[in-house]
Amino acid sequence: MQIEKQQTPDGWLFYNSAVWQEVNDAYFEARHWQQNRAVVGQAMGRGKTLFFRFKHRECVLRHYHRGGLVSKVSNDRYFYSGLQRSRVWREFSLLIKLRELGLPAPLAIAGRLKRIGLSFQADLITERIHGARDLANLLSERRLPLSTWQNIGETIAAFHKAGVYHADLNLRNVMLDEQGKVWLIDFDSGRLCRSRKKWQQANLARLYRSLEKEQAKPGYCHWLESDWQHLVAAYKQAL
């Protein structure tokens, strides 16, 4: 895959030239896709994520938003210290690398960094995983077969064997498509690093806490401790 980048009067645009041959600022504005009647859905998280169709692909447009206490000061601005140090460039580059490694992660399409003084805002476009639903959504409906828990454990192990650290491994960032294939999404602040048990176990612990948090919410999260143990056993065997 080839990353093309171009400097603009107020920042940078970059894209995967194997997917798109050009990109412009309008592609990162929701109103552009709304005016072209290309929007096929949206989702809410820290901010609104837009789904749109373009050139025979369903795409995901995500604006970068801060979380935690710092979001009270600045909702979507980050200190600018160069393109290659920015969160959007690092996530885009990591996604390109993950696809080269054959790992089930979203296809990176394009990104934008827009400078505002000493800060910047950013947006990322990836390909939508067809027919995929996140683990929280699935578990709200039914208990999943043990084979699925096994697949999740093996998939996480594949990322960990490749040295991929996922900064926010939770139920909403684990997806299953219509064929039952497991995908990991949202690699903001993720990175490639040396395989070490400490961060690998921290990743798993974060996913387990996500299960517990979901179970504590109104409604019901259909899983048992034995399901989790099945995931861990498959993870250890694959690792």
Side-chain angles (χ1 to χ4, degrees), residues 129-140:
I129 303 167
H130 182 69
R133 298 171 64 192
D134 67 62
L135 199 53
N137 188 278
L138 291 168
L139 289 173
S140 70

Side-chain angles (χ1 to χ4, degrees), residues 6 15 46 66 82 93 105 107 113 150 157 191 193 202 204 215 231 238:
Q6 60 190 66
Y15 59 97
R46 287 179 183 170
R66 288 182 173 275
S93 302
L107 175 67
L113 182 150
Q150 178 178 336
R191 63 183 183 272
C193 53
L204 285 181
Q215 197 167 46
L231 179 154

Side-chain angles (χ1 to χ4, degrees), residues 36 65 99-100 106 110 151 157 179-180 190 197 204 235:
N36 285 277
H65 285 274
R99 296 293 286 219
E100 290 174 348
N151 289 341
Q179 286 71 48
K197 190 173 182 179
L204 285 181
Y235 168 85

Side-chain angles (χ1 to χ4, degrees), residues 168-227:
D168 191 18
L169 190 60
N170 64 61
L171 296 187
R172 301 191 186 280
N173 289 332
V174 179
M175 309 282 288
L176 271 71
D177 66 19
E178 293 173 330
Q179 286 71 48
K181 182 178 179 178
V182 179
W183 300 74
L184 300 188
I185 66 168
D186 192 358
F187 284 87
D188 183 20
S189 298
R191 63 183 183 272
L192 289 172
C193 53
R194 184 176 298 178
S195 294
R196 293 193 183 279
K197 190 173 182 179
K198 184 176 181 179
W199 68 257
Q200 292 170 342
Q201 292 301 311
N203 263 191
L204 285 181
R206 191 177 187 91
L207 181 59
Y208 184 74
R209 289 196 300 273
S210 179
L211 276 166
E212 292 183 312
K213 285 176 66 176
E214 203 67 29
Q215 197 167 46
K217 293 179 181 178
Y220 190 72
C221 185
H222 296 76
W223 68 283
L224 300 175
E225 186 66 30
S226 56
D227 297 330

Side-chain angles (χ1 to χ4, degrees), residues 1-2 16-20 57-60 91-92 94-100 103-110 124-129 183-185 187:
M1 296 183 187
Q2 181 67 39
N16 182 347
S17 61
V19 184
W20 286 359
R57 295 179 187 271
E58 281 199 13
C59 304
V60 181
E91 182 173 3
F92 184 85
L94 178 58
L95 288 175
I96 294 286
K97 183 64 176 178
L98 296 184
R99 296 293 286 219
E100 290 174 348
L103 293 168
L107 175 67
I109 297 178
L124 181 69
I125 297 175
T126 58
E127 184 175 37
R128 189 179 188 183
I129 303 167
W183 300 74
L184 300 188
I185 66 168
F187 284 87

